[in-house]
Amino acid sequence: MSVDPMAYEAQFFGFTPQTCMLRIYIAFQDYLFEVMQAVEQVILKKLDGIPDCAISAVQIRKCTEEFLCFMKGRFDNLFGKMEQLFLQLILRIPPNVLLPEDKSQETHSYSEEEFHLLQKEIEQLQEKYKTELCTKQAFLAELEEQKNVQAKLKQTLSLFDELENVGRDHGASDFREGLVFLIQNSRKLQSIRENVEKESKRLKIS
């Protein structure tokens, strides 16, 4: 069996020529084996009709196996020659022939040096793509962070608006006065809390 992979032929046929020849070889062997079995059965039936025949079924089987080995040897010899002819002249695509899907190579042929340059350019483009992808991810992360900051800023502004409204409700003219008012009230509340805690402790002791 040929060791040449014949990849271009496999691209055209959809199977390797060696696989085709192997299937033919197996089919011939199976057919030869079936024929020898049929011949053996015919001989045995003929012998059954001969009275006092000295030839036994075991002898017939031995002769059949010897003849099968002889035929197989002859077949292997002939098949080896047939395989060479098929692989060289029938199932081989000539080196000057291109498949339809490869016709573009006739007008866009590249030397080995040009091929290496193209490979290098592809690698550079891949690296550039990876860099741009990383940059995009970093940009998206920064954008998400800005959205979070904007949301917190919006909350802070809303809180300031609420504080300003509270200050206006209590007579403060602007945000600064309102903030001072809230701080003073907070201190008053803290003082009242401390007095209540002290009174509560005094009552518990007494």
Side-chain angles (χ1 to χ4, degrees):
M1 191 66 67
S2 173
V3 295
D4 182 4
M6 301 182 72
Y8 204 52
E9 286 76 8
Q11 179 181 336
F12 176 72
F13 292 114
F15 55 84
T16 62
Q18 291 90 341
T19 301
C20 176
M21 297 306 300
L22 179 61
R23 291 177 179 175
I24 294 174
Y25 179 81
I26 294 174
F28 266 105
Q29 283 214 344
D30 291 342
Y31 181 71
L32 180 61
F33 183 73
E34 291 174 2
V35 168
M36 293 308 300
Q37 281 187 320
V39 170
E40 182 180 290
Q41 293 299 322
V42 171
I43 293 174
L44 290 174
K45 287 182 179 180
K46 292 290 185 181
L47 291 177
D48 287 341
I50 301 175
D52 300 328
C53 181
I55 303 175
S56 65
V58 176
Q59 290 175 316
I60 295 298
R61 171 54 60 89
K62 183 178 179 181
C63 293
T64 302
E65 290 177 352
E66 289 178 356
F67 186 70
L68 179 62
C69 289
F70 170 77
M71 291 297 296
K72 186 177 180 300
R74 296 288 295 174
F75 171 73
D76 288 345
N77 185 29
L78 293 173
F79 186 84
K81 296 177 181 179
M82 183 178 71
E83 181 188 20
Q84 290 182 357
L85 291 175
F86 267 72
L87 296 180
Q88 292 177 3
L89 303 177
I90 298 176
L91 298 176
R92 179 175 295 277
I93 298 176
N96 61 328
V97 174
L98 288 175
L99 297 179
E101 58 267 29
D102 297 329
K103 284 292 184 180
S104 60
Q105 294 184 14
E106 291 181 341
T107 55
H108 301 87
S109 58
Y110 294 95
S111 64
E112 185 175 355
E113 183 180 356
E114 290 173 330
F115 176 74
H116 288 308
L117 288 174
L118 284 174
Q119 279 188 323
K120 186 176 181 180
E121 184 177 354
I122 291 173
E123 292 174 357
Q124 291 175 349
L125 289 173
Q126 288 176 339
E127 289 297 326
K128 185 177 180 181
Y129 171 75
K130 290 179 182 178
T131 302
E132 291 182 354
L133 186 62
C134 292
T135 303
K136 180 181 178 181
Q137 292 176 346
F139 174 76
L140 291 175
E142 183 179 354
L143 184 62
E144 187 67 22
E145 185 178 355
Q146 288 180 358
K147 288 181 180 179
N148 295 333
V149 173
Q150 187 176 6
K152 291 181 181 179
L153 179 61
K154 188 175 181 180
Q155 291 178 356
T156 303
L157 292 176
S158 298
L159 177 62
F160 284 163
D161 289 339
E162 292 176 2
L163 291 174
E164 188 173 359
N165 292 332
V166 170
R168 288 176 181 174
D169 292 340
H170 291 79
S173 59
D174 58 14
F175 174 73
R176 181 177 296 178
E177 292 181 1
L179 186 59
V180 171
F181 171 77
L182 289 174
I183 292 173
Q184 290 174 351
N185 285 336
S186 176
R187 289 176 179 174
K188 289 179 181 180
L189 288 173
Q190 186 176 2
S191 178
I192 293 172
R193 177 185 173 187
E194 291 175 353
N195 292 332
V196 170
E197 288 178 350
K198 289 179 180 179
E199 185 67 18
S200 177
K201 290 179 180 179
R202 187 182 67 77
L203 290 174
K204 286 181 180 179
I205 294 173
S206 62

